[in-house]
Amino acid sequence: MKAHLSILLLVLFFTSCEESKKDAPVLDETPKENIQNLPLDQYAKRHVESSLQIQGTEKYTLEIVKGNLDDDGKEDAIIAVNRKQFALDEAMRSINPAKAAEMAFMGNYNYIFFYDGGLKLISPPISVPSSALVPLKIQLESISSPAYKDILVDYRIRNANFRDVFTVTNHTPRKVFEWKTFDGLGTSATEAYTFEYVQGSNGPQKDIFLYVSTLEKLPTGADRNTYNPKISKTAKVAFHFFYIPQEQKYGMLKNN
C-alpha cells in the first residue's frame, strides 16, 4: 500500500510540474527593437507620436532640419511639428469655436525637438505657443560660434511674426533672444525688422542688429493671420543687441 501511495505521489508531482510549465509566461528572449538605431525620420516619427500622444488617425506635419548644432562635431537636427488638425478638432469641441478661429487657433500646437547626433537621442518636446494655422519656420545661423549653428524659430501670433533664437548648451536648446519680425499686418499701424548677425562686441557671440523695414501691404482677400508678407530693409538700425555672458542672454544697446 505504501509503495502504491509513493508511486501515486510521484505521478502527481511530475504532472503538477508539467502543468506549471504550461501556465508559466514564456519570456521573449528576442532583443527589443532599439528605435534609436532606426533612420532619423523613422525614429523622429515614433518619438514625436509617443511624446505628444498623437493618434494614428491624426494628420500632422513633421520637418527635420539637419546641421551641426553644438561643438561635438556630430550632425544634429531640429524636428518641427505642427498639429493643425488637432487644433481645429479641439476648437470644434470647445464651447466657442468662433472665438478660437478669431484668435487664429492659438495654443500649444507647434513644437520643436532637438536630436543630439552625438548621443543619438531626441529631446522631450519644446512647445512654441503660436497659431496652429502656420507651421514653424526653422533656420540655422552661426551666432554663438563659427564652429556650429544656432537655431532660429519663426512663429505666428495672429497678424504678427516672432523669432526665437536658441543655442544648444549641455545637449539642451536654450533660448537666448526673441523679437518680432513684423506686426500689424493688414492694419495702418505696421512695423517690421530685418535681422543681421555681425561680429560680436562682447565675446565670440555675434551681435544682433535689427534694421527698420517696410512691410508689404496685405493683398485683397488674403488672410492677415497666415499671409507671409515681403519685408524690405532700410539703412536705419532700430535696435542693437549684444550677448551678456553672466545672464546667458542678449541685452539691448540703444541706437544713438
Side-chain angles (χ1 to χ4, degrees), residues 34-81:
N34 186 348
I35 64 172
Q36 297 172 27
N37 294 329
L38 292 173
L40 181 55
D41 58 340
Q42 297 178 35
Y43 175 23
K45 184 175 186 296
R46 293 198 188 187
H47 182 85
V48 164
E49 291 180 354
S50 174
S51 299
L52 299 178
Q53 299 183 331
I54 294 176
Q55 301 300 312
T57 56
E58 181 183 332
K59 294 180 180 178
Y60 68 96
T61 63
L62 183 154
E63 180 188 14
I64 300 175
V65 180
K66 298 179 180 180
N68 186 6
L69 303 178
D70 57 20
D71 59 3
D72 65 2
K74 304 291 186 179
E75 184 177 66
D76 310 298
I78 287 295
I79 302 159
V81 175

Side-chain angles (χ1 to χ4, degrees), residues 229-249:
K230 182 184 298 184
I231 297 175
S232 300
K233 174 189 170 186
T234 71
K236 182 179 179 181
V237 174
F239 304 104
H240 176 192
F241 297 89
F242 67 100
Y243 189 73
I244 306 173
Q246 298 84 349
E247 299 182 15
Q248 296 190 325
K249 63 180 182 179

Side-chain angles (χ1 to χ4, degrees), residues 55-187:
Q55 301 300 312
T57 56
E58 181 183 332
K59 294 180 180 178
Y60 68 96
T61 63
L62 183 154
E63 180 188 14
I64 300 175
V65 180
K66 298 179 180 180
N68 186 6
L69 303 178
D70 57 20
D71 59 3
D72 65 2
K74 304 291 186 179
E75 184 177 66
D76 310 298
I78 287 295
I79 302 159
V81 175
N82 172 265
R83 303 184 70 187
K84 177 181 175 180
Q85 181 195 332
F86 180 77
L88 298 179
D89 292 344
E90 194 171 62
M92 290 302 296
R93 294 191 297 268
S94 69
I95 298 175
N96 194 345
K99 185 65 175 178
E102 179 186 344
M103 298 302 295
F105 303 97
M106 284 289 302
N108 293 322
Y109 306 113
N110 282 305
Y111 298 85
I112 60 171
F113 295 75
F114 170 61
Y115 170 71
D116 189 305
L119 298 178
K120 297 188 181 301
L121 291 174
I122 299 177
S123 73
I126 301 171
S127 176
V128 183
S130 52
S131 168
L133 300 177
V134 182
L136 302 176
K137 180 181 178 182
I138 307 298
Q139 302 173 76
L140 305 180
E141 182 80 29
S142 292
I143 300 174
S144 297
S145 168
Y148 54 86
K149 304 283 188 179
D150 292 299
I151 308 146
L152 313 181
V153 181
D154 278 30
Y155 55 95
R156 288 294 287 267
I157 297 181
R158 302 184 71 184
N159 64 337
N161 190 81
F162 291 79
R163 176 172 296 170
D164 289 354
V165 178
F166 291 85
T167 189
V168 175
T169 305
N170 294 326
H171 310 286
T172 304
R174 175 173 54 85
K175 184 163 66 174
V176 295
F177 181 75
E178 60 181 324
W179 205 266
K180 64 181 68 175
T181 63
F182 68 79
D183 197 359
L185 179 63
T187 72

